[in-house]
């Protein structure tokens, strides 16, 4: 119920968004909302007790001067109270610094900022970033850390870092988090955003978040305003910042962390770590489940703080990418990673520190710090799966963006998460980042054997996320679209996840209207409804609307039209009646159950106007040509109905693209086999609503496709019927009159041509058999074709559309001749026989027009058919001529209107003659010219409108000047319109001057209706108008009308002719179809004999049993087997076409220029890299030389010592070259041999469940026999909760010493006793079945629900089970297993590397295997317990994919060996 309500609300999402868009887009409204939210949720820290620091004048212990404290915080001088304490004297208050920050300078940049408390919840800060600042949740979090002071990067290294960082942000939608100041590594990140942010085509704005300490920000006063600053103008003043720091102007967002202090760096570290951890716990895409947002740490340069950040990040399973060559600690770790861990000792680390740190910095390091650094670097190197060293100097290392993403994928390949679960996470990350290159190289390798069903979720994710490259990759790696879309819920889910688009809007509107009408039908009797869902029925209805009503539904309707939950039985409504009125989809019993998955996916991509996904899906379509033409139709229809002009333009471009695709495939098909290609045109496509490719092309107005020679050949074949297209017209005309000639070979029939071709083919085969001696057999050659009989030829002749056309032309000429004779010779008051014959003839024409209107073989419907009928110009002339004839006939039959009726009939004769032009449309020569005439008529219409302005302007002015108050309308129109119009054609007026004036040719008062009124006369009886004015007006009128406008008309005609000439052939070929189809369906007899055919058709309609279904040449169903063969052949032709298209594209000039550009770029980068490599090689040689000198010095020192021991005095003493304690050189040789035995977890710096830190113990100092004079371990007393450090230690500690060496802490810590603490792990195994193919073991689910563990616990003796298992297993089962301990097999026992171990207490574990018979009672009891435990106890297969810890996995492997099973 809940899911249905969610889906119902999602249907109205678009409407709700559009309703609130206008209000929320107002900047002032957004600012008010942001201000209110920040005041309510975000706070700052301020000192509430001013106490002067004696070391500074008028400065509080918080670091702020007295003037920046509130009056309440300033106490009297004699006030005696508590000493200033940060926890008690710093309080929270509403923040007073937030808004937009604008950086002054060239190219002003803006960002957002907020002053936040150091104790702000991470959830609140994340809401600020995503909800208030409108940042899209990241798919990756990049935490950049390193040197806070300015340092220089080499030009090539800087370029690689900048480009790589921005590239990974672009492709993955990542957030960058830095310290946010204009120094050090933060400045380099800002420069990367600046340099590459505009040069790359960005999908969105780069997000660079700066988390800085408020108390160290220079010029922060400009940011303060209680109501926020929009914007705050910030000036970067690096010269006057002193010990403070300026914000970086290239970051986009700033979180300024305030802990109430001033001038203290590093106060943001804790909040930043908490925020990063919180973000890493969020799921990608804000999903409820799935992969969490990964975090990666990128390191440049840095010191001790950076080392701490790297160490803590890797302990939290955060991968780190270190940029070698950036300096200091980054280079120390990079160089150390090149060596074996046994060689990374104190002396080596000291040597690297001396090399990469300045002398001033190196001199400040103490011995303890060097030891601690060595321990941390060893820990870092040990976690190699989390460490990536990017070496830009190596050519084969790739780009930095690849290195960052590979580091994340490598981190997910840990032992604990390997297998299918690890591959799923890696693939989900790669899809979220849209990095198909990583998926190809890191995931889809030869080792990964993934089934199609294992990747269905990935395909769904790639489709919904619009990742076309991943869709192609998944298809290449075995994903079957048929299996993926087998469940229609999958396809429904894809439609529900459509991005906002026109189709989704129409679909939501259809669903909403359907739900409303159904609720109305139930008339308030429904109490509860589940809400309307988007189903394939709605999709089918909308697609049918876009394709046209002539198609069937592409998806079958559900068994019930709608589902409603009723509260009363009497409200139950049967929906079977609704089903009867539903026009079902095209049903083919042979293959209805087998939809084409490629077509389904292609349709889904097309309706959202997604070219990339549509192209991939189209390549998977079986009926590819019909799919391309259907896409063209759908896109053009959506472009017409849509309101977005840009989107409509994109749709039309994509529609043209798929028309070209259809042309390309059809061209390949025609070149291969013309007969099969023609079958593809008229085959009924069961995948696209039962229509044909030809019909789709016509409905989509795809003129280029219809103009193809193969399509025209099919139309010509249909036009000729059974006759051959090679017959001359004169032969056809002769046979129409002398039909017995058809029994001879005077006319050629297509059937005869087929027999002739088969005969020639068989003769060629026989000739080849004689030459080669082989036998060739063809199925077609074995058939015996019979020749047509004379009757069949006669029927074929007169049923041919070509012959019908010629017959109708002759009939039409006869009709016009009879019409003319009646009008001119035989038009009597009483209709004569010839006139009556004319009426019958016209009646037959009327009946034919009615038949054409109602004849609907394609199923368009009466409304659509009527629109198509009226849209045709010739049909309009037919209707006009019939209406005029009917009106003239009605007037003619009356005495009073007899002559008026004749006039109307004469005008009607003109219309009938114009209709005669339709006969030329079939002509290849005159047909295109008629199209040009139509276009020019439109041009002339607009030209006449322009011309009429000049005609009326001149005519009215001339009439008003010459004639005074003429009231006769006919003479007014003659003088104002008719005479000026005739002037254009050379009829020069004689009444505009006095030379030709004759008073007898006009009427002075206008009383004579046959004469025009005389102009105004003077006393001499001559015209009084100004003659010079009328002549000038005439000259101007002739200049514009005759010269300008007429030449403009000629230019317009010339332009139209040139423009249309190139397309007239296509238009003619396109319109030729309708004429051919009309005469194909027309009865054979010409008018007036056609009326007999109409009577026969009417009688057949009246008798249902006589209904005759005529086979159409335009729409042919094929047998299933033949259709499958045809589609397979079409798919082969499609592959050939795509191969040719790719080859042409690769050889195009654009692709060549692009390839050349890429090669030049690669060559330039390689030259720069080689230049730097050469310099680095020289430096390395110098380093080796220096190292050799040092070794030589040491060797000489040893020789000198040896000589001294023999009594030989030394002249000189070599200076000491190392500051390391003496014992360091002695222990380095011993460390290598013992490396494999050193415990690691027991030396973790942070002791579990306490705040105690271990003393750092490097690898070479672990053995007790190695001298470690500075070793001062902390004592841990468990009596005080493990946090107590006591200098007084029990005297008996020396009795117990950890057998594996030092741990960095003394006492028993969290363990129960000094010395060994016994632990027992129980491995209970069984065979899953009698075949002993699968070995299973019993595991307990840990409380954190993330990993499994073997049942076990601490024991006093390994002869009994741990007492803690009694609560898990129950008393009865516990006792039963306890009795079998003695029968168990001891797998292993001994010391365990446990994080709780100390110098004086450690864990020793015994692993015991108890194998149970699957038929025993104990197994039955365990199975019952497993079923009732709700997953806390379960059986797991013994395999390497088990989710056990590292130590227990080793034990499980030994158990597998014990039972002779592969692990």
């Amino acid at each position: 119920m809940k899911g249905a309500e969610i889906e119902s609300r999602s249907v109205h999402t678009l409407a709700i968004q559009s309703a609130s868009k206008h209000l929320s887009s107002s900047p002032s409204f957004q600012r008010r909302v942001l201000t209110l939210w920040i005041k309510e949720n975000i706070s700052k820290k301020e000192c509430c007790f001013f106490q002067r620091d004696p070391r500074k004048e008028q400065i509080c212990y918080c670091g702020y001067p007295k003037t920046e404290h509130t009056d309440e915080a300033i106490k009297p001088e004699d006030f005696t109270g508590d000493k200033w304490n940060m926890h008690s004297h710093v309080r929270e208050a509403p923040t007073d610094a937030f808004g937009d920050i604008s950086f002054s300078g060239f190219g002003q940049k803006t960002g957002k900022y907020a002053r936040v408390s150091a104790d702000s919840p991470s959830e609140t800060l994340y809401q600020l970033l995503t909800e208030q600042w409108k940042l899209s949740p990241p798919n990756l979090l990049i935490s950049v850390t390193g040197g806070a002071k300015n340092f220089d990067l080499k030009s090539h290294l800087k370029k690689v870092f900048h480009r790589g960082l921005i590239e990974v942000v672009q492709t993955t939608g990542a957030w960058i988090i830095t310290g946010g100041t204009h120094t050090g590594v933060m400045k380099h990140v800002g420069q990367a955003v600046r340099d590459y942010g505009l040069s790359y085509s960005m999908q969105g704005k780069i997000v660079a978040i700066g988390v800085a300490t408020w108390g160290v920000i220079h010029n922060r006063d400009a940011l303060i305003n209680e109501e926020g600053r929009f914007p705050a103008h910030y000036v970067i003043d690096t010269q006057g910042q002193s010990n403070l720091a300026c914000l970086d102007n290239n970051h986009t967002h700033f979180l300024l962390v305030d802990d109430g202090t001033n001038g203290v760096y590093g106060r943001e570290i804790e909040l930043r770590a908490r925020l990063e951890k919180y973000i890493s716990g969020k799921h990608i895409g804000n999903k409820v489940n799935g992969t969490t947002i990964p975090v990666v740490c990128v390191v440049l340069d840095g010191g001790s703080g950076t080392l701490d950040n790297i160490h803590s990040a890797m302990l939290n399973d955060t991968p780190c990418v270190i940029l070698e060559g950036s300096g200091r600690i980054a280079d120390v770790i990079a160089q150390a990673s090149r060596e074996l861990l046994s060689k990374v000792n104190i002396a080596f680390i000291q040597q690297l520190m001396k090399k990469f740190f300045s002398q001033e910095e190196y001199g400040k390091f103490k011995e303890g710090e060097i030891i601690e650094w060595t321990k941390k670097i060893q820990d870092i190197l040990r976690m190699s799966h989390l460490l990536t060293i990017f070496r830009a100097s190596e050519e084969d290392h790739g780009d930095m963006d690849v290195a960052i993403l590979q580091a994340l994928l490598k981190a997910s390949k840990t032992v604990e998460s390997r297998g299918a679960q690890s591959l799923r996470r890696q693939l989900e990350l790669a899809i979220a980042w849209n990095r198909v290159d990583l998926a190809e190289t890191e995931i889809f390798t030869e080792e990964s054997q993934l089934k199609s069903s294992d990747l269905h979720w990935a395909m769904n994710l790639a489709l919904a996320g619009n990742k076309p490259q991943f869709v192609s990759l998944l298809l290449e790696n075995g994903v079957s679209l048929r299996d993926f879309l087998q469940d229609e819920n999958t396809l429904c889910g894809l439609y529900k996840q459509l991005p906002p688009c026109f189709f989704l809007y129409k679909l939501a509107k259809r669903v909403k209207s359907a739900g409303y009408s159904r609720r109305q039908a139930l008339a308030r009797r429904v109490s509860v409804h589940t809400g309307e869902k988007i189903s394939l029925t709605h999709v089918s209805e909308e697609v049918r609307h876009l394709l046209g009503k002539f198609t069937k539904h592409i998806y079958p309707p559900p068994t019930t039209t709608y589902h409603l939950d009723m509260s009363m039985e009497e409200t139950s409504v049967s929906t079977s009646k609704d089903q009867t009125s539903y026009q079902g989809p095209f049903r083919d019993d042979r293959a209805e159950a087998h939809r084409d998955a490629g077509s389904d996916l292609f349709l889904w991509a097309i309706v959202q106007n997604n070219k990339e996904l549509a192209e991939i899906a189209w390549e998977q379509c079986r009926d590819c040509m019909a799919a391309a033409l259907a896409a063209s139709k759908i896109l053009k229809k959506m472009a017409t109905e849509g309101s977005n002009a840009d989107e409509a333009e994109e749709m039309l471009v994509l529609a043209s693209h798929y028309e070209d695709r259809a042309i390309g495939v059809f061209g390949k098909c025609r070149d291969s086999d013309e007969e099969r290609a023609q079958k593809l045109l008229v085959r009924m496509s069961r995948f696209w609503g039962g229509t044909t490719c030809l019909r789709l092309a016509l409905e989509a107005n795809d003129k280029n496709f219809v103009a193809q020679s193969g399509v025209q050949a099919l139309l010509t074949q249909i036009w000729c019927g059974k006759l051959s297209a090679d017959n001359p017209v004169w032969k056809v005309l002769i046979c129409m009159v002398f039909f017995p000639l058809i029994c001879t070979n005077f006319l050629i029939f297509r059937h005869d041509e087929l027999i002739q071709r088969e005969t020639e083919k068989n003769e060629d085969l026989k000739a080849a058999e004689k030459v080669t001696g082989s036998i060739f057999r063809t199925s077609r050659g074995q058939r015996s074709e019979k020749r047509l009989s004379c009757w069949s030829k006669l029927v074929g002749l007169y049923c041919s559309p070509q012959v019908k056309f010629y017959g109708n032309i002759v009939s039409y000429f006869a009709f016009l001749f009879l019409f003319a004779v009646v009008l001119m010779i035989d038009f009597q008051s009483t209709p004569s026989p010839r006139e009556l014959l004319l009426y019958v003839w016209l009646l037959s024409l009327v009946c034919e027009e009615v038949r054409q209107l109602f004849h609907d073989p394609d199923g368009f419907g009466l409304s659509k058919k009527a629109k198509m009928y009226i849209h045709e110009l010739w049909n309009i002339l037919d209707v006009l001529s019939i209406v005029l004839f009917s009106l003239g006939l009605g007037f003619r039959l009356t005495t009073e209107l007899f002559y008026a009726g004749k006039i109307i009939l004469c005008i009607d004769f003109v219309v009938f003659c114009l209709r005669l032009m339709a006969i030329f449309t079939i002509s290849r020569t005159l047909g295109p010219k008629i199209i040009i005439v139509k276009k020019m008529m439109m041009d002339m219409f607009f030209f006449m409108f322009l011309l009429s302005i000049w005609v009326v302007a001149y005519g009215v002015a001339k009439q008003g000047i010459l004639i005074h108050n003429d009231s006769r309308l006919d003479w007014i129109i003659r003088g104002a319109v008719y005479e000026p119009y005739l002037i254009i054609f050379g009829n020069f007026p004689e009444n505009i001057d006095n030379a030709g004036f004759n008073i007898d040719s006009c009427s002075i008062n206008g009383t004579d209706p046959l004469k025009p009124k005389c102009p105004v006369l003077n006393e001499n009886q001559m015209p009084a108008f100004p003659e010079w004015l009328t002549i000038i007006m005439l000259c101007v009128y002739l200049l514009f009308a005759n010269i300008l406008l007429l030449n403009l008309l000629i230019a317009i005609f010339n332009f139209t002719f040139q423009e249309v000439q190139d397309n007239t052939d296509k238009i003619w070929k396109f319109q030729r179809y309708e004429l051919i189809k009309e005469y194909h369906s027309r009865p054979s007899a010409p008018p007036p004999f056609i009326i007999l055919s109409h009577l026969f058709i009417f009688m057949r309609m009246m008798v249902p049993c006589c209904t005759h279904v005529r086979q159409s040449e335009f729409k042919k169903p094929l047998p299933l087997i033949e259709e499958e063969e045809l589609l397979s052949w079409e798919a082969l032709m499609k592959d050939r076409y795509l191969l040719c298209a790719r080859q042409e594209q690769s050889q195009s000039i654009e692709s060549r220029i692009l390839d050349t550009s890429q090669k030049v770029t690669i060559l330039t980068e390689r030259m720069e890299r080689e230049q730097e490599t050469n310099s680095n090689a020289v430096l390395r040689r110098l380093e080796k030389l220096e190292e050799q000198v040092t070794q030589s010095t040491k060797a000489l020192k040893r020789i000198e010592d040896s000589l001294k021991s023999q009594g030989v005095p030394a002249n000189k003493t070599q200076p000491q070259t190392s500051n390391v304690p003496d014992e360091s050189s002695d222990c380095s040789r011993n460390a290598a041999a013992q490396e494999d035995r050193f415990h690691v977890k027991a030396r973790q710096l942070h002791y579990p469940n306490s705040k105690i830190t271990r003393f750092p113990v490097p690898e070479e100092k672990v053995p007790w026999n190695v001298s470690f004079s500075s070793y001062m371990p902390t004592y841990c007393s468990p009596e005080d909760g493990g946090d107590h450090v006591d200098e007084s230690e029990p005297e008996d500690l020396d009795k117990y010493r950890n057998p594996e060496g030092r741990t960095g802490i003394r006492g028993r810590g969290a363990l129960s006793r000094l010395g060994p603490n016994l632990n027992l792990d129980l491995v209970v195994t069984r065979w899953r079945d009698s075949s002993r193919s699968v070995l299973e073991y019993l595991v307990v689910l840990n409380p954190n629900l993330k990993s499994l563990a073997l049942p076990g616990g601490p024991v006093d003796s390994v002869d009994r089970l741990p007492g803690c298992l009694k609560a898990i297993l129950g008393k009865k089962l516990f006792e039963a297993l306890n009795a079998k301990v003695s029968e168990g097999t001891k797998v292993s026992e001994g010391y365990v590397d446990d994080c709780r171990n100390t110098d004086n207490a450690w864990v020793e574990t015994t692993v015991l295997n108890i194998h149970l018979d699957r038929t025993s009672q104990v197994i039955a009891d365990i199975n019952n317990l497993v079923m009732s435990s709700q997953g806390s106890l379960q059986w797991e297969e013994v395999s390497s994919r088990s989710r056990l810890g590292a130590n227990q996995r080793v034990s499980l492997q030994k158990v597998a060996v014990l039972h002779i099973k592969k692990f």
Side-chain angles (χ1 to χ4, degrees), residues 112 207 380 403 422 508 623 671 673 685 792 814 928 1243 1317 1331 1354 1363:
K112 296 184 180 297
V207 178
I380 290 171
S422 174
D623 197 355
D671 295 341
D673 190 333
S685 174
S792 299
R1243 291 185 292 120
N1317 290 257
S1331 62

Side-chain angles (χ1 to χ4, degrees), residues 1145-1164:
Q1145 184 178 4
S1146 63
Q1147 296 174 359
S1148 63
I1149 297 177
E1150 292 81 1
S1151 62
R1152 291 182 179 180
I1153 293 175
L1154 182 60
D1155 292 342
T1156 304
S1157 175
Q1158 292 176 349
K1159 290 177 181 178
V1160 170
T1161 303
I1162 294 172
L1163 193 60
T1164 304

